Each structure stands twice: as structure tokens, then as C-alpha cells.
Amino acid sequence: MSLDQQPTPASSPAEPAVPRARHAVNAPQPPHAPQLAPSEHLAPPVPYEVESAVFIADPAADAEKRRLDIGGEWKGVSKKYLAVEMVGTGIMAVILIAAASVPLFFGLWFGWLTLAAVVILSAILLIIAPRRVRSIRYQLRDDDLLFRKGIMFTRIVAVPYGRMQLIDTKRGPLDRALGLAQLNFVTAAAATGVSIPGIPEKDVEELRDVLVSLAETRRAGL
Amino acid sequence: MSIPDQPGADQPMAEQPPLQQPAAAQPGAAGLTPAPVSADSDDGWKRLHPASPLLKGGIAFLAIIGILIANMRDMLIELVFDTGDGDGDFITFLLESEMLGWGLAILAALLMVGILGFYLSWRMHRYRITDESVEVRSGIIFRTHRQARLDRIQAVAVTRPFLARIFGAGKLEVAVAGQDAKVALSYLRVAELDTLRAHILRLASASRHGGRDAVAGIGQQVAPANGIAPGAPGFLPHAENAPSAIVQQRVNDFFGPELDPDLAPPESVVKISPLRIILSLLISNTTILFFLAAIAMILLAIFGEPQWLFGAIPMVIGVIGFFWSKLQKSLRFSIAGTPDGVRIGFGLLSTENDTLPAGRIHAIEVHQPLLWRPLGWWTVRINRAGYGTSADGKQPATTMLPVGTIDEVEKVLELLLPEGTGSEVNALTTQLLTKRDVPGFVATPKRAWFLHPFTWRRHGFAETNGAVLFRAGVVWRRVQIIPFARLQSIRVTQGPLARAFSVSNFSIQTILGLITPTVEAVDTATAERAFDRWSAKAIAAADDEDARAAESARSQSAGMGRADAVAAVGYGSAGSAEAAAAMLSRPMI
């Protein structure tokens, strides 16, 4: 559900709508004569005005809402990616179980306990793998890319196309076998860390080209 | 000291290398014209200050001389007073074994090689500034050619280490964003430094001035480059040639103001008194930690082993070193708005100044250590490109105000924030810093007080047209300002605990720096709305900035008269005025 459309009774019509349209912020600027010194028209006096009205919500209604969610049409990753995730989790589980069974060899009393804990943990991870894969979703909006991940710890990131410095594709052995690829997005901020796994190979080239061209037309820069 | 300006006085100049001709000999716009193409420059390639190799290896060179002298001292004393107990000394050994001749020969050979190396390295080190880029070529055997595009410039810094100041030289660094992405011109004459900086910035910055103003501004910056005002007695076009004049110039240079008074309007300058800087350091967090550690050590020494006191020695040395570096970086601090961007300068013995064109500031944080509260002091720092990427480990200056009152913070923010939306952000910041409840400030909802039991009323965000502001802390207070046009991505997260209280956490990613903007425990529905609004504003703000830049470029090239255009192309080829105007104001990477 898009929150832009939510009625915000306190916000007056004078308040500019969410500047979804490009150059929306430019609109209120007065037309200027070219002979004006730039400093005169580039700095229109901005009245001190905080858009607090937008964020005053009904506390009762808000309290009911528990899960973080952003509206729009989210796209999921390929179902085949579940296999990659399962294999990855399986390998990790095997390594963990092997490590946890070391105390058993030495006949330590807690050996069975650790082993049981690790086995249960691995089982849980394998069981929720489908759910985890389903939670990886993305959305290509007009001007930015949304990415979300996580069940317990939800994370939603918005990256404007114009901020993308480079986009690369990565394919591991399992990805290749299943015809999948991973798209990594790099911005000037190291912490952005958006990578979409499990995109079908045939889509990935197209998606990457679309994103690169979007990044180019939108505004290459910081 | 004053040399009559007549043909006779020009005589010694002919014998000087052509580089000696001061680029800033004539004040005014003529200073933009490059020094006449001399024998050692082709295609605009120029050489650096002749003392550059010496200055670059300066400390090592001094250390070697120091060791030599220390070794010689004993021997000299012995030669004069024949005390008879000189053994184990290398030079004594040479004397005794009658190999002094060989020693001297080797020394002379080493000196020759050194001087030749210095000379060659000076000859091979050349730079060029075209209307598109700054280029440096260097190296005798392994040659490098580095080129920085002017439209990608993030900052221009002038560093003048103590030794270089004695020689009247300084280093110019043009920084672009990226791993160790700097083009350093080390070292240049002071006069050249200022001309070049002004020229580079004129091309690269979002100078809001029209063509005529900007060029006139450069002329102004050239004239008093040596810290001598044009009318002052020390200012004579060829004064550099007489020894007394050189001394006078150096002295002026040393005691002259760090910030050239003509460079920025005085009302935009913030300076801090040394007394306040020292006091602020004395009551900083480091001092508290130091005292706690000292008390712990004394207690340990009294009730435990007295050896514990020895542990204090490295600690004291460390603390003194820390204070000295802090002091050195804060003394004579000034920040000013110049036509080319915000300029900060600091340093007592070694001075440094840095000019950041508009739009190169990615986040601002205003912060107050606990003990500064009674005095009402704050400190301001920023995120800027180049942090943590320098190969030599030197960080760019990120402190925009070491210590200042709320009024000074406001003044500094006025300089740092972009035109247009800046005053709004500034007004809000001041309110957030001084008051608990501010209209427009969205605090942690009451139901989630448990997540921030002491700070929940002060913890939250506010939004304006140009930026989003995060506030946190009761004991250590801070406000973070993130301009929409600069943010890289927005992230909203929610863990199980936050979900239980129906709140979410925000973090905004900017380029790497000391500030990591985050705000926790925002009401979830509000967070969702904010997420949508901010991601839209991030795009709109950048587009808006682009549009302004294009507009500014258009009106600049249109408003530029012919004479100005000619002056502006002094460094490059024809048509650079338009190219320069087109390059303005895009803080691209």
C-alpha cells in the first residue's frame, strides 16, 4: 500500500506533494531574467516551515500496526534460488555438526548437548529457508530500487538509480548450474550493501542494462 | 627593505632560473595569465619549487645531518682538547686507519648522487593545468602521470609544513573521490599556490558569482598572496630579489593572518580564540578518561605494586601527543565562506587550509561533550569524500568548528549548508540543540520509552525541504544533518524487540566518514511514510541541484563578457570559459 496516498488531514494543499515528479522542487521558483546575477535567483528566500503535519499520525491506529511494510508491487527471486540457499545452509550445517561432534570424541559430558543444539539449529535454518528466500524481494520504482530481506530482522533499503556507481553480476557454481545470477549494487557509500540473489540468467543481463541506463539518465553522481 | 623599482633592480633577476619570475608579480586580473612560457615548459607543463625534493625528504635529510653532527661533535672536541679517550667512533676509526681520504671520497660521491637525484627528480616533476584537468608527471625511472578531472574535484587543500614555510613554499592538493585519489603539487611558491587554487576552484566550484566577479575575485586573491596587503610597505613587485626583502616577506608570511582578509567577507568568518581551544581540550572527554586512568594507576600503585606507576609514562606521552596534535590542528582555526566554497584553515607552525566547493558535504554533525554543557559549547564535523582512503593515512580535515557557541554553530552551518534550503535547516538545528520539544520534531513514541528510557523525548528526527535531521542523546547530545541531495541510500529495519513496540529504526548511508546517521525507535507507520517521502526527496533534491547547476552554467556563460572570457582562458585554450561554466556546480564523482 502506498503511503503517499494516505490522507493526512493536517497537511494543507499548499504543501507540495511528495516530489515524485522530477524537478517538482523547481516548480515554485520564479521565472528569472537571464541577466540576473545567479546568486539572486538561485537562493529564493525559504520561509522557515517544518513539514511536521505529514508525520502526525493517529497513535491508536499506529500502535496496532506491528510489522514494517512498504507498499508497491514487490518482485520475488526465482524459486530455484531455494536450492542454492538449501545447499548453502546444508554445507554450513555439515561443518557445524562436524565441529560440534569433536567433544564427543573426547568423551566430554556436554558433547551430546552441543551436537543436539547444532542439529536443531540446522534443522530450523533448513525449515525456514523457503520462508527466508521468499522474504528477499525487490521493486523497481520510477527513480529508485527498493530491496527487502529478512523475516525476524526486516530490512528495507531504497537506492536511487542516480546514486549507483556500478552494478555487477556474480554467479557461483550452483547459480550457474541452475541458470541464476546475483546482482550487486555499489553506491559511493560502502554500507549500502544491496545484492539481489537468484535472478534468472536471461533476466539478469536485461535488468543490469536497464539499471545502468537508468543510472546514467537519472544523474551520475554522489 | 624597499628596493626602488627601476631597471637596475631587475638586473639580478635575469640570472635567476625562469621559474623565479613570480607569477603574481602584477596584482589584478593579469595574475591569471601564466608566466611567460619559459625554456623549461612546453605545452603548459611547469616545474615545481626548486627546493621541492629537499622539502619532501626534509625530515629525513635533517635527521641525517643531525646524526652526522652528533657523531662529529665528540671528534671535534677530541681534536681540539686531545682528551685521549676516543675509541669506537667510526670517524675516529677512519682517522686512525688513515682511510680518511676514502671516507671523504665516498661522502662526496654520495653527495653528488644525492644532488643529482634531487635535480633530476625536480626536472622530471612537472604539472599542467588545462581547462579540463590537473596533471602531474613525476619519476626518474618509474614514471607516473596523474590526471584529475576538474569537474570531479571534491576539495582543494593547501598544506604548508613548517619547513616549507621557511622556504616560502607550500603544497597544493586537488582531491577527487576515490582510493588515494589526490593530485599533489608539492611544492609550489606561495604566490603560485593561491593563483592556482583560485583558478582550479573557479573552474570546479559552484561559484555563485558571475563571470566578471569571479575573475575579479581571483585577481584579488593573487595580490596579497604573501600576506602583505597591496598598499603595505613590504609589497613591491620585485621585492623577492633582495635578501632583506625576502626575510621581510617570510616574516610577514609567518605572522600574517592565516586567512587572507580579502578572501572572504568578514561577517562570514568564524575564528576561535586560543584560550578557548586550550580550555575546551582540557575539559574534553579524553581528559576525563585520562584522569580516571591516572587515579586507577595511583590507587594500584598505593595498594598494589609500585611498578604500576611506570605504566603511566607511555600513557602520559600518548596523551601529550594527542593534545599536541589536537592543539596544532585547532589553533588559529578559521572557517569562512569564499566565492569558491567554504574554506577552513588551521595550524600554528604548519598551516593547512582546505576549500570545499558547494555540495561536497555529505553529512554534518553538531555534538556536545558532557563537560562542555555548562559553557554552552559545541563542535561541528562533517562527512566528506576522501575519508579513510588516503594511502599515507592522513585524513582530510573533517572538523568544521573545534569548539564554538551556539551562535558560532549557526554561522558555521550557514556556510556549510547549501543556499536556498540552508537557512531553514539551520533554524531547525538551532532549535533542536537548545530545546527539548520543537515543532516538527518527531520523537520516539511514548509506548517505546523502554527502548530509550532516558532519551526518548530527545531521540527522533525532523524533516525540512533540504535535509533530514536526526537527534539523539541527553548526556552526549548530537544532531545529525543529512542533505537529501547527498544521501546514497535509506535503510529502515525492524527487529523482534522493535516489532514488539511497533517501532522501526532508520539509517541513512552516506560516503564513508565519522558520522553514521541513524535514528532508532521511530513509530512504524511514521517510518513507512518517512521512508517513502525521503526516498522521493533524495531523487528530487539531486535533480533540482542538477537543474540549478545547468542554469548557473548557462547564465554564467551568457553573462561573461569578452574581456572576462579572455582572462579566463589564460590557462587554457580558447573556449574554456564556456567549458568552465558548464563544469560548474556538479559535485560528481
Side-chain angles (χ1 to χ4, degrees):
Chain A
M1 149 214 71
S2 175
L3 288 147
D4 298 349
Q5 276 87 56
Q6 271 199 352
T8 48
S11 66
S12 65
E15 188 240 344
V18 175
R20 170 66 61 198
R22 289 159 61 77
H23 302 301
V25 175
N26 260 351
Q29 276 187 16
H32 61 88
Q35 66 267 27
L36 267 180
S39 56
E40 282 171 45
H41 68 84
L42 284 178
V46 181
Y48 171 56
E49 167 212 353
V50 180
E51 305 180 21
S52 56
V54 188
F55 295 114
I56 295 172
D58 178 10
D62 286 345
E64 287 166 21
K65 194 174 162 58
R66 306 230 156 211
R67 182 168 279 278
L68 177 70
D69 192 24
I70 298 292
E73 280 177 39
W74 289 96
K75 268 191 221 163
V77 301
S78 166
K79 287 198 170 60
K80 280 192 259 175
Y81 180 67
L82 178 60
V84 181
E85 188 76 14
M86 293 285 260
V87 169
T89 314
I91 290 170
M92 197 192 68
V94 167
I95 292 169
L96 275 180
I97 288 169
S101 51
V102 168
L104 268 187
F105 282 106
F106 295 99
L108 295 170
W109 63 271
F110 57 85
W112 287 109
L113 276 179
T114 38
L115 189 61
V118 166
V119 167
I120 290 169
L121 186 79
S122 305
I124 291 173
L125 280 178
L126 280 172
I127 288 165
I128 63 165
R131 180 80 185 74
R132 205 164 61 231
V133 168
R134 271 208 308 280
S135 81
I136 304 170
R137 280 176 286 168
Y138 64 96
Q139 213 181 111
L140 297 174
R141 298 203 292 195
D142 285 347
D143 294 298
D144 58 359
L145 172 105
L146 292 195
F147 173 75
R148 71 177 294 165
K149 198 181 178 180
I151 317 160
M152 281 273 271
F153 295 88
T154 314
R155 186 181 75 157
I156 307 179
V157 188
V159 191
Y161 297 132
R163 308 297 208 283
M164 285 175 190
Q165 299 286 330
L166 66 91
I167 297 160
D168 64 347
T169 56
K170 209 171 103 181
R171 297 162 68 210
L174 249 136
D175 283 335
R176 279 205 300 274
L178 293 167
L180 297 177
Q182 180 176 341
L183 269 183
N184 290 338
F185 301 89
V186 179
T187 68
T192 295
V194 169
S195 61
I196 309 177
I199 298 174
E201 215 167 76
K202 60 178 179 10
D203 297 351
V204 96
E205 305 281 320
E206 194 192 323
L207 189 56
R208 189 193 55 206
D209 292 347
V210 166
L211 288 171
V212 167
S213 72
L214 278 173
E216 216 153 79
T217 53
R218 282 307 184 272
R219 178 180 187 273
L222 268 181
Chain B
M1 147 196 116
S2 40
I3 302 293
D5 190 14
Q6 59 192 28
D10 276 343
Q11 213 52 45
M13 257 194 77
E15 287 153 31
Q16 307 259 0
L19 203 100
Q20 286 284 81
Q21 290 176 4
Q26 293 137 331
L32 246 187
T33 322
V37 178
S38 41
D40 64 350
S41 73
D42 46 284
D43 292 340
W45 287 99
K46 292 193 209 163
R47 298 229 159 79
L48 300 158
H49 194 290
S52 299
L54 182 68
L55 291 171
K56 268 189 272 180
I59 293 163
F61 187 75
L62 282 185
I64 289 166
I65 288 179
I67 290 167
L68 277 181
I69 289 173
N71 262 325
M72 300 279 264
R73 192 197 52 194
D74 285 351
M75 195 197 67
L76 286 177
I77 291 170
E78 201 177 303
L79 273 182
V80 178
F81 299 105
D82 197 16
T83 49
D85 61 322
D87 51 84
D89 197 318
F90 180 64
I91 291 168
T92 324
F93 165 74
L94 280 183
L95 271 179
E96 279 170 0
S97 58
E98 292 176 342
M99 300 233 298
L100 188 64
W102 283 106
L104 284 178
I106 290 169
L107 193 69
L110 283 177
L111 265 177
M112 285 289 285
V113 169
I115 289 168
L116 193 72
F118 273 20
Y119 174 73
L120 277 179
S121 112
W122 173 74
R123 269 209 60 96
M124 300 304 293
H125 205 145
R126 294 179 300 171
Y127 70 95
R128 179 167 73 167
I129 291 160
T130 66
D131 36 326
E132 276 159 18
S133 60
V134 182
E135 290 168 77
V136 175
R137 277 180 171 172
S138 64
I140 303 169
I141 297 163
F142 296 96
R143 297 194 180 158
T144 56
H145 183 173
R146 201 161 231 226
Q147 193 169 8
R149 278 181 54 181
L150 284 175
D151 60 344
R152 299 287 161 118
I153 283 178
Q154 293 288 322
V156 180
V158 170
T159 319
R160 305 185 55 202
F162 185 61
L163 199 64
R165 280 178 82 194
I166 295 172
F167 282 86
K171 196 200 291 188
L172 185 100
E173 280 177 335
V174 177
V176 292
Q179 191 70 36
D180 195 28
K182 280 193 287 210
V183 174
L185 305 182
S186 49
Y187 286 77
L188 292 168
R189 258 160 231 296
V190 178
E192 279 175 315
L193 272 181
D194 286 24
T195 324
L196 282 187
R197 181 182 55 197
H199 180 72
I200 292 168
L201 282 168
R202 210 205 79 77
L203 291 175
S205 84
S207 171
R208 299 287 189 244
H209 283 230
R212 191 172 290 272
D213 288 354
V215 173
I218 291 167
Q220 271 180 10
Q221 288 160 26
V222 173
N226 307 319
I228 311 164
F235 189 85
L236 272 176
H238 301 301
E240 286 198 8
N241 297 305
S244 64
I246 291 173
V247 170
Q248 178 65 31
Q249 207 174 5
R250 297 282 181 274
V251 168
N252 277 341
D253 184 33
F254 250 91
F255 296 102
E258 199 281 320
L259 169 67
D260 182 352
D262 293 347
L263 204 59
E267 67 273 8
S268 79
V269 181
V270 177
K271 286 180 181 167
I272 304 153
S273 79
L275 202 70
R276 191 202 286 172
I277 283 172
I278 291 166
L279 187 61
S280 74
L281 276 176
L282 285 180
I283 58 172
S284 65
N285 292 336
T286 319
T287 321
I288 303 174
L289 275 178
F290 173 65
F291 271 106
L292 289 178
I295 289 167
M297 279 193 178
I298 289 167
L299 288 179
L300 278 170
I302 291 170
F303 297 109
E305 302 278 325
Q307 289 98 298
W308 279 101
L309 276 183
F310 289 107
I313 295 167
M315 193 179 77
V316 168
I317 292 171
V319 167
I320 289 173
F322 173 80
F323 276 135
W324 173 248
S325 76
K326 271 269 202 187
L327 204 63
Q328 158 74 10
K329 284 208 159 180
S330 319
L331 280 177
R332 297 218 297 170
F333 181 90
S334 72
I335 177 165
T338 70
D340 306 314
V342 58
R343 175 201 187 278
I344 53 159
F346 53 83
L348 185 63
L349 299 177
S350 303
T351 65
E352 202 174 324
N353 71 62
D354 218 339
T355 310
L356 284 157
R360 267 73 169 182
I361 292 164
H362 295 252
I364 307 171
E365 185 178 84
V366 188
H367 160 79
Q368 183 175 61
L370 178 60
L371 287 182
W372 288 10
R373 176 94 51 88
L375 297 157
W377 287 349
W378 301 86
T379 174
V380 179
R381 59 185 188 182
I382 58 163
N383 270 4
R384 55 181 281 192
Y387 187 83
T389 57
S390 173
D392 54 11
K394 193 173 161 283
Q395 303 294 8
T398 51
T399 305
M400 295 290 115
L401 181 69
V403 52
T405 61
I406 193 84
D407 292 339
E408 281 156 350
V409 168
E410 209 170 330
K411 241 171 136 183
V412 167
L413 288 181
E414 198 64 54
L415 298 175
L416 298 179
L417 292 164
E419 282 179 55
T421 54
S423 48
E424 189 190 354
V425 177
N426 202 350
L428 188 59
T429 309
T430 315
Q431 288 199 36
L432 287 175
L433 291 175
T434 49
K435 285 191 282 185
R436 195 189 74 187
D437 300 312
V438 177
F441 177 70
V442 184
T444 299
K446 193 156 188 254
R447 62 171 186 275
W449 68 269
F450 177 75
L451 294 176
H452 291 277
F454 304 108
T455 63
W456 65 276
R457 281 172 200 277
R458 294 195 132 262
H459 195 114
F461 71 88
E463 180 199 308
T464 70
N465 273 326
V468 57
L469 291 90
F470 291 166
R471 183 175 78 172
V474 161
V475 178
W476 282 275
R477 297 180 173 182
R478 66 159 167 83
V479 168
Q480 294 169 331
I481 304 163
I482 309 99
F484 281 122
R486 292 281 84 77
L487 67 84
Q488 298 295 316
S489 60
I490 306 170
R491 178 186 301 174
V492 57
T493 59
Q494 191 184 47
L497 190 64
R499 192 167 297 133
F501 290 101
S502 184
V503 290
S504 301
N505 307 323
F506 262 111
S507 68
I508 288 182
Q509 285 78 48
T510 71
I511 56 161
L512 184 68
L514 291 167
I515 308 164
T516 46
T518 47
V519 64
E520 288 174 4
V522 177
D523 169 61
T524 297
T526 308
E528 286 165 359
R529 226 168 304 155
F531 183 80
D532 265 354
R533 283 181 62 85
W534 296 350
S535 52
K537 279 195 163 189
I539 296 149
D543 287 347
D544 184 38
E545 197 180 64
D546 266 8
R548 277 170 186 237
E551 205 137 288
S552 149
R554 262 202 306 280
S555 64
Q556 283 220 358
S557 57
M560 237 181 190
R562 215 184 61 100
D564 297 328
V566 170
V569 298
Y571 266 87
S573 53
S576 88
E578 207 133 318
M583 275 179 210
L584 290 172
S585 354
R586 301 203 74 202
M588 298 203 302
I589 270 189

